[in-house]
Amino acid sequence: MRTETDFIPKPFSTTIEKGSFSYSAPSNIALVKYWGKKLHQIPANPSISFTLSSCKTITALSFAQKENSTSFSFDLLFEGQSKEDFKPKIQKFLERIEVYCPYLKQYHLNIDTRNTFPHSSGIASSASGMAALAMNIMRLEKALHPEMTDEYFYSKASFLARLGSGSACRSIKGEVVVWGYHADIIGSSDLFGVKFPTTIHSHFTNYQDTILLVDKGEKQVSSTVGHDLMHHHPYAEQRFKQAHENLSKIKTVLETGDLDAFVQIVESEALTLHAMMMTSMPYFILMKPNTLEIINAIWKFRKSTNIPVCFTLDAGANVHVLYPENDSAKVLQFIKNELVGYCQNGQYICDQLGIGSLEI
């Protein structure tokens, strides 16, 4: 099993003066949630996620050697505009990964990044953004060390992405990704995400995720603060145990195609995540009234049609509607007829299962 020291590079045999690369990296939606983390972005419990396809960040990285290699040097463009308020987060990320990527100080970096979804849509872009940047950095490292294996490349890219944003490590490679050590998942690690190790049932091929944008405003409590509140949470240990149990269950579900069990586990996980928020101290609620209206409408629709559509939630008010591809026509009609009215400005995004980051 890999450790942190495995990702500290030895002296390179190749030099490179300048160059540029470009990668896309998708967002992802957790089915079994992680909530609570230890030092150095280590998760308090394992999680499993669907990688998305359309909601992604596209990042170009150009680099050129500089004389002074004592500090990091970079410029950042977001959607073609200079974005000074994003720079402290990038600086912090570069400092976190310095021991694993010391070569970055030898270059001035130009980072040009954009999202395929509106930045103000209420969809978290930190996962896709940090994953795309990590892939570019690893592409530079591969240019310096051409003998690098693909396994090492993707493991370290996920490892680096995690140090920028925990869930970013699940946006590197694979349709379904597990992050966090779990006894039933071969190769699983707290340090990086791994592709689901066995074959997924055909029921989940091209699984659909329609994201209902209920509230596009800034969250009143950040995810970072929310994670920290799990340190003294009265129900934390039981929650971490539940996550392990649910990951075992959903592994079987993904292999056997049991859609009824999938619905039950995924919705329970979403509500448990928000229950942890509502029972922390201080307590907070990120769902909005329209979030609950949508949930109730989904339950009513599922009961009346027997279509295995379900919801999940991130740490926010937006609702991810999950359903098999062969039910798309009926579910999309239901969304247009009954759910769009609960969305801010009637906005929603249609997405589906994706494969991870790609060089472009």
Side-chain angles (χ1 to χ4, degrees), residues 16-20 60-77 87 91 94 103-111 140:
I16 182 169
E17 290 186 5
K18 61 182 179 179
S20 63
L61 176 71
S62 59
F63 52 93
Q65 278 188 338
K66 57 188 177 71
E67 290 184 10
N68 182 351
S69 59
T70 59
S71 60
F72 294 110
S73 170
F74 67 94
D75 291 308
L76 177 69
L77 291 178
K87 292 185 79 171
Q91 178 70 30
L94 294 175
Y103 51 86
L104 290 177
K105 281 189 171 181
Q106 299 171 21
Y107 298 97
H108 178 77
L109 309 176
N110 284 293
I111 304 165
L140 169 56

Side-chain angles (χ1 to χ4, degrees), residues 140-250:
L140 169 56
E141 185 168 324
K142 188 171 177 64
L144 294 167
H145 181 56
E147 301 85 6
M148 182 187 296
T149 65
D150 284 350
E151 184 275 330
Y152 183 90
F153 178 94
Y154 287 110
S155 294
K156 185 169 178 178
S158 182
F159 173 84
L160 297 178
R162 188 198 94 240
L163 293 173
S165 172
S167 58
C169 74
R170 299 191 308 242
S171 287
I172 296 295
K173 187 174 178 64
E175 296 87 348
V176 180
V177 179
V178 177
W179 170 38
Y181 173 74
H182 190 279
D184 293 346
I185 305 294
I186 297 170
S188 59
S189 172
D190 289 341
L191 300 180
F192 49 84
V194 298
K195 186 176 180 179
F196 188 73
T198 55
T199 301
I200 296 165
H201 194 277
S202 60
H203 284 171
F204 297 103
T205 303
N206 295 328
Y207 219 72
Q208 303 293 297
D209 179 7
T210 298
I211 307 158
L212 307 180
L213 305 179
V214 172
D215 182 63
K216 301 190 294 181
E218 189 173 334
K219 292 185 293 191
Q220 75 231 38
V221 176
S222 72
S223 294
T224 299
V225 171
H227 282 293
D228 287 344
L229 292 175
M230 288 296 283
H231 289 305
H232 305 290
H233 198 292
Y235 309 132
E237 290 308 313
Q238 186 60 35
R239 163 57 197 156
F240 302 149
K241 180 183 175 185
Q242 179 196 43
H244 277 270
E245 292 171 351
N246 279 344
L247 210 156
S248 292
K249 291 176 184 176
I250 208 163

